[in-house]
Amino acid sequence: MSSRKATAIGFIAVLLWAFLALFTVGTQPMPALQLNALCFAIGGLVGLIWAGASGEFASLHRIPLKVYAFGTLGLFGYHALYFSALRLAPAAEAGLIAYLWPLLIVLFSGLLPGERLRAGHLAGAFVAFSGAAVIILGGGEGFRSSAAPGYVLAFGCALFWSGYSVLSRKLGDVPTAAVSVFCAATAILSFGLHKAFETTVWPTDALGWGSVLALGLGPVGLAFYVWDIGVKKGDIQLLGTASYAAPLLSTIILVLAGVATASWSLALSAILITAGALLAARASIKT
């Protein structure tokens, strides 16, 4: 597979993740770990179908346990933090902070062997984090202490997914079908922790069940498999660049769906975070 094709396949994940916040809001009030368990059970089923179609199923037993542990930690950590963040803070604002990961991918990939950080990377980081600051300070409304825990968890999401994506580069020989095991293990881990720490709450209408199914099939299912192909076989810095569209698309979708209210602070935050990622990406392209 060519690098260009793998990069294009990876970008499909960005389009799917643009709907992650909207579908997550649709699953309320289901607790985060229960939602994690259900979505990843569906995502694991998608993976089994993927493995059977690609002929990679037979090779899964040869993959080291440390690889499965790494993948499970990445998927579990990001989504447990993300779902919790959107339960504790406004969806659009928390989603924008979580979507600092495209910028962080560009920054972290600059630390890989043969790469280096440039002035454009640092300028992009400053601009994007300024956008996050607008969210945290609450624009003209001032600091909202009630949302602070959600914002902290959202930033943890960005660190988790960017670190996972860049470190995945070192696992280039691992078949993409291994993600099905990551998903299944994440579902089992999430279910165990849910039973220990949460009260079970099932969806009460078609919207709730539809949102769970949509999450499991798309942003928490197919997206992982196409992203895995992109970061391992494609241009990881170009993917980080293209991913700048994620926060803007996600915010627009939430506003159009009536989940978030359009405001100058929300628009400014989305523009700054997107522009920051773009600046950092431009430095990578010049390199």
Side-chain angles (χ1 to χ4, degrees):
M1 180 184 296
S2 68
S3 175
R4 178 177 297 180
K5 183 177 180 180
T7 303
I9 290 174
F11 187 64
I12 294 173
V14 178
L15 299 178
L16 291 171
W17 285 327
F19 289 89
L20 181 59
L22 178 64
F23 293 152
T24 299
V25 171
T27 64
Q28 290 180 331
M30 184 182 293
L33 293 173
Q34 181 187 355
L35 180 59
N36 231 28
L38 286 175
C39 291
F40 279 101
I42 298 171
L45 179 60
V46 171
L48 291 176
I49 297 172
W50 180 291
S54 63
E56 295 180 350
F57 190 84
S59 64
L60 294 181
H61 71 282
R62 296 195 295 268
I63 298 173
L65 286 178
K66 65 179 181 180
V67 173
Y68 284 129
F70 169 78
T72 301
L73 178 63
L75 299 189
F76 170 82
Y78 174 79
H79 289 86
L81 289 170
Y82 186 90
F83 292 149
S84 298
L86 264 68
R87 295 293 190 257
L88 298 174
E93 287 85 346
L96 279 171
I97 293 177
Y99 276 123
L100 286 169
W101 62 259
L103 165 70
L104 294 177
I105 284 179
V106 177
L107 294 180
F108 291 163
S109 63
L111 302 176
L112 292 173
E115 305 289 346
R116 67 187 181 92
L117 289 176
R118 305 176 72 87
H121 293 137
L122 300 179
F126 176 78
V127 172
F129 285 124
S130 296
V134 171
I135 293 173
I136 294 170
L137 296 177
E141 302 172 7
F143 175 71
R144 290 172 290 178
S145 59
S146 61
Y151 294 154
V152 172
L153 293 177
F155 186 66
C157 296
L159 289 174
F160 242 97
W161 194 250
S162 55
Y164 170 81
S165 297
V166 173
L167 291 175
S168 290
R169 192 73 169 183
K170 297 183 178 294
L171 305 177
D173 293 334
V174 177
T176 295
V179 178
S180 63
V181 181
F182 301 165
C183 289
T186 297
I188 294 170
L189 176 61
S190 298
F191 179 75
L193 292 174
H194 160 67
K195 296 300 290 184
F197 299 108
E198 294 179 338
T199 300
T200 300
V201 178
W202 295 108
T204 58
D205 55 23
L207 175 63
W209 282 112
S211 297
V212 171
L213 183 61
L215 277 173
L217 291 176
V220 190
L222 179 62
F224 296 132
Y225 302 96
V226 293
W227 184 252
D228 190 76
I229 291 173
V231 297
K232 289 178 180 176
K233 299 179 181 178
D235 185 331
I236 189 172
Q237 288 194 330
L238 185 56
L239 272 177
T241 304
S243 298
Y244 80 86
L248 198 56
L249 288 173
S250 179
T251 303
I252 291 172
I253 289 170
L254 287 171
V255 170
L256 291 177
V259 173
T261 303
S263 66
W264 73 264
S265 59
L266 185 63
L268 179 60
S269 299
I271 291 170
L272 286 173
I273 290 173
T274 300
L278 210 53
L279 275 174
R282 185 168 179 267
S284 295
I285 292 172
K286 280 188 173 182
T287 303

